[in-house]
Amino acid sequence: MKNYVYIGLLGLGTVGSGVVQLINDHQEELVHQVGCNVKVKSILVRELEKERNIQIGETYLTTDPNEVLRDPEIDIIVEVIGGIEETKKYIIEALEAKKHVVTANKDLIALYGPELQKMALDNQCDLFYEASVAGGIPILRGLADGFVSDRIQKLMGIVNGTTNYILTKMDEDGFSYEQALKEAQELGFAESDPTADVEGLDAARKMAILARLAFLTEVNLEDVEVSGISKVAVEDLNYGKKLGYTMKLIGLANFENQQLEVSVQPTFLSKSHPLASVKNEYNAIYVNGEAVGETMFYGPGAGSLPTATAIMSDVVAIMKNMRLQVNGNSFVGPRFERVLKSPDQRFGQYYFRLHLKDEVGAFSKITNLFNKLDISFEKILQTPLSKEDLAEIIIVTHKVSLEQFQTALMELSDLPVIKNVISYYRVEGDGK
Ligand code: HSE
């Protein structure tokens, strides 16, 4: 093994700076693990002259990607610039030049992970992406290595810190969605354009990556059904509290009889569910395996140094593989054919908020409909509304299929006694 392993870094933003700092500050730990020094040799940046709060010593800064990607001394490329198409080209170039690649880029891996993984394998290179999901939480290695002998059946994740922060503020401090988003932006959790976070796309990308590793099946980004939190009202959160729930943006992935379901949606969780205690910008992934039972991984889902620890775990894994000369077997490939569950094979409980005419026999129309559809009520709340002779009704069903739920939703909207179906959410019990 050489005395030094050289890294080429693509990007010196928040995460890139964290990588440089961690390598500087924790060199002894790295040497202990891998038996040689690790050094960032050069960094691709957008501007050479920008003022930075990081000591880069002799590291060479360049705006020319080729100076990093084609440097024969560099063994490992760490990509933290983000973006998709141009970055994909850089990664392909690196793999073709027989360099191992570490990336934090969930957008890229969600879309092109399997293709890039194959290319890495063909070039006998490693491609790792631990930092792409839930920042500092070592969940990908947990799934790929920790649970290697188990069969994972269900995975639920709070994998977006921005939305978890917003929902916590709405739930605990009574903020409106807009107030909570503004505060998240002021504190730097939310981007100035928060669309990908609040509409669930960021979480969907992470769930596609998680589900591939958990269930060893192909998962396309389009397989993930997504709805975000921008329409969530404080009124629903208040009803949720009365019923013993808290609301979270939950990524749900289920695998039964080799059939798959993946979704991201605002979900009422029972307060006794392990994920219910995950607050503010924190992330957590709850994994239920046939042998291991319930587990939960908790921690920071973003941030400079937490994300850098995930990146360095990949770098160390690559260096250990280099020593053993076994690069090119990164994580695990698919084992099962991709088969999606149909709506009659997907089950859950549902919450409805309805405005109903406050008149004799109105509620029985709902009861009749639910009887007809074989849907049983678990909880019911009714509050008279002062105007328009309406009552506000909250219904939580027992477990039903998605097909039953969708039919109920359609037929409820058509009932003359129903003025409006105001909202509906999935409900999760205590996790078992
Ligand atoms: N924007 C993400 C979040 C962090 O709010 O969790 C990066 O994936």
Side-chain angles (χ1 to χ4, degrees), residues 120-167:
L121 189 66
D122 292 345
N123 285 286
Q124 288 178 316
C125 288
D126 286 334
L127 168 70
F128 285 132
Y129 41 88
E130 179 65 72
S132 65
V133 178
I137 307 175
I139 182 62
L140 300 192
R141 231 166 238 108
L143 292 173
D145 294 343
F147 298 137
V148 65
S149 63
D150 205 354
R151 295 184 191 127
I152 307 299
Q153 298 161 323
K154 182 174 183 179
L155 193 142
M156 287 170 65
I158 295 176
V159 288
N160 183 269
T162 305
T163 46
N164 204 41
Y165 185 85
I166 293 172
L167 290 173

Side-chain angles (χ1 to χ4, degrees), residues 150-204:
D150 205 354
R151 295 184 191 127
I152 307 299
Q153 298 161 323
K154 182 174 183 179
L155 193 142
M156 287 170 65
I158 295 176
V159 288
N160 183 269
T162 305
T163 46
N164 204 41
Y165 185 85
I166 293 172
L167 290 173
T168 304
K169 282 283 149 193
M170 290 174 72
D171 200 31
E172 297 197 340
D173 300 334
F175 282 28
S176 67
Y177 167 78
E178 288 75 17
Q179 284 170 320
L181 171 61
K182 187 161 173 279
E183 186 173 289
Q185 284 171 322
E186 282 163 6
L187 291 170
F189 297 136
E191 312 266 342
S192 51
D193 177 2
T195 315
D197 288 319
V198 299
E199 297 307 344
L201 184 58
D202 175 82

Side-chain angles (χ1 to χ4, degrees), residues 94-385:
L95 293 171
E96 285 175 347
K98 310 284 180 207
K99 297 187 192 307
H100 309 292
V101 173
V102 175
T103 174
N105 192 327
K106 61 187 170 292
D107 307 16
L108 181 75
I109 295 297
L111 279 176
Y112 297 119
E115 176 187 332
L116 293 171
Q117 195 86 66
K118 181 171 180 312
M119 189 164 284
L121 189 66
D122 292 345
N123 285 286
Q124 288 178 316
C125 288
D126 286 334
L127 168 70
F128 285 132
Y129 41 88
E130 179 65 72
S132 65
V133 178
I137 307 175
I139 182 62
L140 300 192
R141 231 166 238 108
L143 292 173
D145 294 343
F147 298 137
V148 65
S149 63
D150 205 354
R151 295 184 191 127
I152 307 299
Q153 298 161 323
K154 182 174 183 179
L155 193 142
M156 287 170 65
I158 295 176
V159 288
N160 183 269
T162 305
T163 46
N164 204 41
Y165 185 85
I166 293 172
L167 290 173
T168 304
K169 282 283 149 193
M170 290 174 72
D171 200 31
E172 297 197 340
D173 300 334
F175 282 28
S176 67
Y177 167 78
E178 288 75 17
Q179 284 170 320
L181 171 61
K182 187 161 173 279
E183 186 173 289
Q185 284 171 322
E186 282 163 6
L187 291 170
F189 297 136
E191 312 266 342
S192 51
D193 177 2
T195 315
D197 288 319
V198 299
E199 297 307 344
L201 184 58
D202 175 82
R205 290 167 174 151
K206 293 168 181 167
M207 289 308 296
I209 299 171
L210 285 172
R212 281 176 198 152
L213 285 179
F215 309 134
L216 305 181
T217 181
E218 282 175 11
V219 181
N220 300 330
L221 189 53
E222 309 82 69
D223 298 337
V224 187
E225 287 183 15
V226 191
S227 61
I229 65 159
S230 59
K231 303 280 183 316
V232 172
V234 175
E235 289 79 0
D236 287 304
L237 299 196
N238 290 339
Y239 278 121
K241 271 188 217 161
K242 287 189 188 160
L243 297 165
Y245 301 135
T246 182
M247 183 172 282
K248 301 286 177 192
L249 183 69
I250 293 291
L252 171 76
N254 233 305
F255 195 61
E256 289 161 322
N257 306 320
Q258 296 175 19
Q259 291 180 327
L260 173 78
E261 134 181 45
V262 195
S263 64
V264 169
Q265 56 192 308
T267 301
F268 275 123
L269 282 184
S270 159
K271 290 241 162 88
S272 58
H273 193 287
L275 286 170
S277 59
V278 178
K279 295 189 180 170
N280 296 317
E281 74 278 20
Y282 278 87
N283 282 199
I285 298 100
Y286 165 92
V287 184
N288 202 327
E290 191 180 302
V292 73
E294 285 187 288
T295 63
M296 194 162 95
F297 298 70
Y298 170 87
S304 174
L305 285 173
T307 309
T309 65
I311 287 173
M312 290 313 293
S313 78
D314 285 346
V315 168
V316 167
I318 290 172
M319 290 170 72
K320 288 182 173 172
N321 286 349
M322 284 165 72
R323 195 159 55 198
L324 298 170
Q325 301 187 331
V326 292
N327 300 95
N329 298 300
S330 331
F331 290 141
V332 268
R335 177 175 164 212
F336 301 108
E337 202 187 323
R338 168 181 153 275
V339 183
L340 299 178
K341 286 188 189 181
S342 53
D344 62 332
Q345 295 169 317
R346 297 171 52 175
F347 294 90
Q349 287 182 259
Y350 290 91
Y351 160 107
F352 293 90
R353 174 152 67 107
L354 312 168
H355 283 178
L356 178 74
K357 288 187 186 157
D358 201 354
E359 63 188 32
V360 175
F363 195 80
S364 69
K365 301 278 189 321
I366 301 179
T367 322
N368 291 343
L369 172 65
F370 277 44
N371 279 348
K372 184 185 89 178
L373 298 174
D374 199 23
I375 296 176
S376 164
F377 300 110
E378 185 188 90
K379 294 174 179 162
I380 299 167
L381 279 181
Q382 171 165 340
T383 319
L385 292 177

